[in-house]
Amino acid sequence: MAKVTNSPNPGHTSSWYAASANDKRVRPSLEGEETADICIIGAGFTGLSAALEMAEQGFSVIVLEGERIGFGASGRNGGQIVNGYSRDLETIAGRYGREKAVQLGEMSLEGGEIIRQRVQKYGIDCDLVEGGFFAAFTSKQIKEMETNKSNWEKHGHSGLEMVSKAEVGKYVKCDRYAGGMIDRFGGHIHPLNYVLGEASAIESLNGRIFENSRVVSVEKGAQVTVRTDRGSVKAKYLLVCGNAYLGGLLPEIGERMMPVSSQVMATEPLDQGLIEDLLPANYCVEDANYILDYYRRTSDNRLLYGGGIGYGGSDPADLTGVIRPNMLKTFPQLKNTRIDFAWSGNFALTLTRVPHIGRLSENIYFSHGDSGHGVTTTQLLGKILGEAVAGHAGRFDVWSSLPNYPFPGGKTFRVPLTVLGAWWYGLRDRLGV
């Protein structure tokens, strides 16, 4: 059953997040000439994390957003606080050396802590709930989780605990899983309300945010000039934080990431007893497959369920037709449940699946490509951009030293080559090998 709702929040996609946003007011567009210490492109997680870091330090900040605050992945994602990166620390050690893995490991829990600290400091109302559960289908996936747990603990992560098949029901009422692992440092939020809360915090510190102000050109120099159709900003520094929605503005960044869509839907509000029976601990859940499903409870007792993937940012014609069958495999008891919202959004994927952070010049910095782990990583990297501009570039230098590459095949073949690789890993999931 589907009765998908159109967005009641102009300029946003038709998501449950947009419908339930605490703040629906539209900020003004940039008109005329402005100056600031810092200009930031993109009012999503990365850009606003950086903007808040800079505003707290007393810099004058202007943020330019082509659409609305949280328009992209920041306001559309599953809302799950998942610690770490899209590649585990042992893979990072194998690629870049043990020292780099240790340095990234020291930062790996910080993104979630930044969210918690800002929620408390600024009173951000974003339905923060603690706890996450990783669900395993096979004994192979359980062994991989055990290995990951051991590796994480070497880097100070003490919140992980293995879950037997008999104990799965404490977290999710589903007989598909062979076991799993909980992360007590995980959790979930309403991501659009979180990013809107960051925006209000920035404005309380005299930062300015302009919506519907798409950047059309960037002029490099001792002062950077950033132009929109109806205005410009001259700034000492520019931070480029557009991620998958940057478009063709700066090809030297764009060729090193690929937009990838993920699909999400939300059911009608469920009976309190039913939703508590399905997810007793109110933890968010994601499974261990390469192309994974993820789901959680919302504050108004809906089941928010996501999954699927579209390389290049393509979307299926029928979003509910893709996601709902997966939901019913997990919770067949919801076969007569109405779907009120269905939407998709793009995140930025890098070839290495590790974020790409660096400089285009002495005063132009960028960060993108969190590769599906953006809720926490963007908070960390946005803060690190702010540190670097303020003259504390030690952590920035760690990240910017990691090699990054354009996708093979360029724009023409990057999608089919990536799809082929995903098909192979998806086949391994289905075969359990």
Side-chain angles (χ1 to χ4, degrees), residues 39 41 64-66 213-218 226-229 249:
C39 181
I41 299 174
L64 301 178
E65 168 55 48
S213 301
R214 183 167 298 281
V215 174
V216 296
S217 69
V218 172
V226 185
R227 299 190 185 278
T228 69
D229 283 336
L249 177 65

Side-chain angles (χ1 to χ4, degrees), residues 1-2 267-268 270 274 324 327 333-339:
M1 299 173 61
T267 68
E268 63 184 312
L270 302 178
L274 174 58
R324 191 168 180 272
M327 180 189 77
Q333 55 269 63
L334 298 181
K335 64 181 179 179
N336 295 321
T337 300
R338 187 180 72 240
I339 306 303

Side-chain angles (χ1 to χ4, degrees), residues 10-30:
H12 279 286
T13 190
S14 55
S15 68
W16 173 75
Y17 296 132
S20 57
N22 295 329
D23 181 1
K24 294 185 174 72
R25 62 196 165 103
V26 180
R27 269 76 171 180
S29 301
L30 179 68

Side-chain angles (χ1 to χ4, degrees), residues 122-145:
Y122 295 104
I124 298 174
D125 180 9
C126 63
D127 307 328
L128 172 61
V129 177
E130 302 291 353
F133 176 60
F134 300 97
F137 290 102
T138 66
S139 58
K140 175 177 178 288
Q141 291 178 347
I142 291 172
K143 290 177 181 177
E144 290 171 348
M145 287 182 184

Side-chain angles (χ1 to χ4, degrees), residues 357-373:
I357 179 170
R359 288 187 182 93
L360 296 182
S361 69
E362 285 301 310
N363 56 355
I364 300 179
Y365 295 73
F366 66 87
S367 177
H368 68 251
D370 303 282
S371 300
H373 273 62

Side-chain angles (χ1 to χ4, degrees), residues 369-433:
D370 303 282
S371 300
H373 273 62
V375 173
T376 54
T377 311
T378 51
Q379 302 303 308
L380 168 68
L381 296 183
K383 182 178 181 181
I384 287 173
L385 288 178
E387 291 173 357
V389 171
H392 308 289
R395 300 204 300 174
F396 174 90
D397 290 342
V398 172
W399 281 96
S400 64
S401 70
L402 303 180
N404 61 85
Y405 311 98
F407 279 83
K411 289 186 177 181
T412 302
F413 295 108
R414 67 181 181 180
V415 172
L417 289 173
T418 306
V419 169
L420 182 62
W423 173 86
W424 167 245
Y425 284 105
L427 178 63
R428 291 180 63 185
D429 285 338
R430 290 190 292 274
L431 296 176
V433 299

